[in-house]
Amino acid sequence: MINLAFTDLTQSVASWRLWTLLGWLEVRQRYARSRLGPFWLTISMGVVIASIGMVYGTLFGQKMSDYLPFLACSLVMWNVFSQTVNEGSMAYINSSTYIRQTATPKLIFLLQVVWRNLIVLAHNFLIVIGLLAIFGVKSWATLPLFIPGLVIFILNGLWLAMIAGLLSARFRDLPQIISALMQVAFYVTPIMFRPESLTRFSFIVKFNPLAYLLDVVRQPLIGQVPTLTVWAVPVAMLLVGWPVALLMTGRYLKRIPYWV
């Protein structure tokens, strides 16, 4: 079963011209005939960061030069993760016409989702770069750690999207449940608040794997070196999640055209 899923994954990766083109065209179609195009994403994200930063930074008594870069990194990266999982749950359903009519590798449609959200990340990351330029980079030595952290971060989002897409194709109520769960996860994950802000209820962060997953990409950008635990938890998620995702995909891959 895993061999069947791995073969499909290999064929999907080899068809990179197809899913990169589909992902890019989808972004362009969303902003067709717009002068700013996808940069509306950057503007809207910038407004959200500025609004939340002023309100919550004041409520938490935070220094804006520290809080705004922290918040920007958190929201930009969380947006990529949550959208990958949410859109991944609809990947097979939205591509049902292609799946029923052509014999293409199925994981192409998940890679398309990831690529589309990486394009969004590239636009929104301009905000992070701008804030780091304004307030200064805390540590140039930690910045290279962002690259392996991003790879781990995206791969974790991908296996979650694989499982979500497969189950959602079978159970059509699941995308709404996943969206609600991601909303709950947003509030219990240190995105708008710092992890050390919770004292009495620190277990909420301590036992939240998404907090470590976010830290692996956020900490290098704000001048912190991720601890061994911060690296270990997302890697452990990969080692557990990918075999499960491949096993489920291999088992039910041939049923997807009948489900959608």
Side-chain angles (χ1 to χ4, degrees), residues 44-258:
S44 60
M45 179 61 73
V47 171
V48 170
I49 291 171
S51 303
I52 294 178
M54 288 188 291
V55 174
Y56 283 88
T58 303
L59 288 175
F60 296 150
Q62 296 287 316
K63 187 179 178 181
M64 287 298 172
S65 60
D66 292 331
Y67 183 67
L68 282 179
F70 169 86
L71 180 65
C73 295
S74 302
L75 285 177
V76 168
M77 299 311 302
W78 177 261
N79 182 67
V80 175
F81 178 78
S82 62
Q83 289 296 102
T84 297
V85 177
N86 282 328
E87 293 177 9
S89 67
M90 295 294 295
Y92 295 133
I93 298 172
N94 291 338
S95 304
S96 58
T97 303
Y98 299 107
I99 293 174
R100 289 196 298 262
Q101 293 182 358
T102 59
T104 58
K106 304 302 183 291
L107 293 178
I108 278 180
F109 306 107
L110 274 305
L111 294 176
Q112 176 188 346
V113 168
V114 173
W115 174 247
R116 183 170 64 244
N117 282 286
L118 285 175
I119 294 174
V120 174
L121 172 62
H123 286 82
N124 288 340
F125 202 74
L126 295 175
I127 302 171
V128 176
I129 295 174
L131 289 175
L132 292 179
I134 294 171
F135 297 115
V137 176
K138 303 300 180 183
S139 173
W140 289 96
T142 63
L143 288 182
L145 296 176
F146 172 74
I147 302 301
L150 180 62
V151 173
I152 295 173
F153 186 82
I154 295 299
L155 288 177
N156 271 297
L158 178 55
W159 73 258
L160 281 168
M162 288 169 61
I163 295 177
L166 191 66
L167 294 178
S168 296
R170 179 63 181 87
F171 305 102
R172 294 304 177 90
D173 291 330
L174 199 58
Q176 287 73 27
I177 296 175
I178 292 173
S179 179
L181 289 176
M182 293 304 295
Q183 191 65 37
V184 173
F186 174 81
Y187 291 112
V188 300
T189 303
I191 297 171
M192 295 186 294
F193 61 91
R194 293 184 179 274
E196 61 272 14
S197 299
L198 295 180
T199 53
R200 182 180 177 185
F201 300 100
S202 59
F203 66 90
I204 294 176
V205 174
K206 184 178 180 181
F207 297 106
N208 182 358
L210 297 181
Y212 299 96
L213 183 60
L214 192 58
D215 268 341
V216 84
V217 287
R218 179 176 57 196
Q219 288 187 352
L221 294 174
I222 60 176
Q224 299 176 6
V225 178
T227 63
L228 182 61
T229 304
V230 171
W231 287 109
V233 172
V235 170
M237 291 171 64
L238 285 179
L239 296 177
V240 173
W242 267 96
V244 173
L246 290 173
L247 182 63
M248 291 182 62
T249 301
R251 182 177 179 84
Y252 299 109
L253 189 66
K254 296 182 179 179
R255 301 186 188 182
I256 293 175
Y258 300 98

